[in-house]
Amino acid sequence: MSTERDEIAVVGAGLAGCLLACFLARRGYPVALYERRPDPRTGRVERGRSINLALSERGLDALRRIGLAEQVMADALPMRGRMIHPVAGEPQFQSYSVDGDRAINSISRGALNNALLTAAAALPGVRIAFDHRLVGLDPTSGELTFETPQGKVTGTASVVLGADGAGSAVRGQLLAYGVLTESLDFLDYGYKELTVPPIGGEFALDPGALHIWPRGTSMMIALPNPDRSFTCTLFWPTHGTQSFASLGSPAAIERHFTTHYPDLVPLAPNLVDDYQHNPVGVLGTVRCTPWQVAGKVGLVGDAAHAIVPFYGQGANCAFEDVVELDRCLDECADHWASALPLYQHRRQANAEAIARMALTNFVEMRDKVASPVYRTRKKIEHALERALPGRYVSQYELVSFSTTPYAQVRRRVRRQYAAVGAVAAGALALLAGGVGAALGRRR
């Protein structure tokens, strides 16, 4: 470990940045944690922006390592499956796991951020500077320039780590220096949040499920909150006749929801107001390379690899980045010039794997989950898991209920599908042979 204990700068006090500060402080590093916003523990939450998230095993593994899992899970709402809402008919429950006892957890993003921020602030050597917007970074010297309410200020750090989200200012500075390339692939879809309040002090929907209204080219989901409300998120096209832009008047909004989401309308008294005033967020995948420069500047979480939210793995994946970086520092005896390239080598393929799986899962959630063919396939999959415990495991369980590297999950699932396909083909061949022999005997 470094004997001089030079200060590490973490830019971004969101989920990944606060977790990273905790891990670094526990290693004995002084940490300067910079955040462009005011202290979120005292400020207002921005309306309609990412109220909750799904925390699963990868995120919990990281929280356990700093002793926060129990505190965070005290307010978690476990969701053991999907509740599919058709346009007409009763909702149908689809379990996530073969035995029905495993769950992903609905967590307040703000509460989790505040818990991590408070934990980081309590550790010796951590100082937090709010209202600091990064406007300059020299990747060779580690000099940082921030705009603050009091004017521009500068600082220096031996290592600078960008954990400042999909629109990362650190990544932008590296791009401006010509030491990094990036690609931004945006979907022709956006998202907007609505609220279903409690009814008589109780949940209006089953809180033990993630609710999905699949509508072919669009969908809505709903996650429960500790105050017994639900946060609903619309994922709709940004253009066209069934898009956000197509609904302008209150009458048009009510008519559309009555037609396509009829069971939601009586549960959402503020539907029109939420729809008209909550913003439309963008959805896309951020890729860049390299994730680090000269062992002095590195990117973590969405700053390196933002993904679409359809596997509920954005925060979980970012937390895994932090765990892997900590592991690399262990293996490299805190030699950052070795640890940061090793971290990128180990994580980049996994980030790409979950990015691709998340895009594929969007099609599954908005379209396939409602089909009889999909439900039959899931029954077969669960039957195989029961018949071959530990040998056949579904992709969803490997992603959400294990820490198996994402790239390894994709390879394993492909092998499983190939093996099942080969067995099915062999069974069909035997069946065809038996039928042919029987027909031959009749002749």
Side-chain angles (χ1 to χ4, degrees), residues 28-217:
Y29 286 103
V31 179
L33 181 58
Y34 297 101
E35 172 54 46
R36 64 178 177 82
R37 302 166 299 173
D39 188 338
R41 295 168 297 182
T42 59
R44 279 195 316 116
V45 177
E46 187 178 358
R47 178 170 181 169
R49 289 291 189 187
S50 198
I51 292 170
N52 49 15
L53 59 86
L55 188 67
S56 53
E57 178 55 31
R58 297 168 197 271
L60 287 169
D61 175 63
L63 293 173
R64 288 187 201 107
R65 293 168 187 260
I66 60 168
L68 271 187
E70 188 174 338
Q71 175 188 333
V72 168
M73 286 298 288
D75 290 326
L77 292 164
M79 302 177 293
R80 291 182 168 79
R82 298 164 168 166
M83 189 71 76
I84 309 303
H85 294 252
V87 175
E90 292 299 311
Q92 297 172 335
F93 181 78
Q94 298 176 2
S95 175
Y96 282 137
S97 63
V98 62
D99 50 18
D101 67 344
R102 289 182 166 180
I104 59 175
N105 303 283
S106 180
I107 298 282
S108 162
R109 180 180 292 272
L112 178 57
N113 202 156
N114 290 349
L116 286 166
L117 186 55
T118 299
L123 290 169
V126 176
R127 64 182 182 90
I128 304 174
F130 296 105
D131 293 306
H132 277 57
R133 184 169 69 88
L134 183 75
V135 294
L137 168 63
D138 185 333
T140 56
S141 68
E143 181 174 319
L144 306 105
T145 304
F146 297 94
E147 281 188 356
T148 76
Q150 290 74 41
K152 285 191 176 181
V153 298
T154 61
T156 58
S158 60
V159 175
V160 178
L161 299 172
D164 49 342
S168 171
V170 174
R171 190 180 72 244
Q173 291 293 318
L174 297 179
L175 189 65
Y177 263 85
V179 294
L180 172 149
T181 60
E182 70 174 10
S183 69
L184 311 175
D185 297 321
F186 292 105
L187 297 182
D188 294 327
Y189 282 78
Y191 72 91
K192 182 190 287 282
E193 293 190 338
L194 312 172
T195 300
V196 170
I199 295 178
E202 298 299 328
F203 287 104
L205 298 164
D206 181 354
L210 187 154
H211 294 257
I212 306 178
W213 288 256
R215 297 298 182 260
T217 58

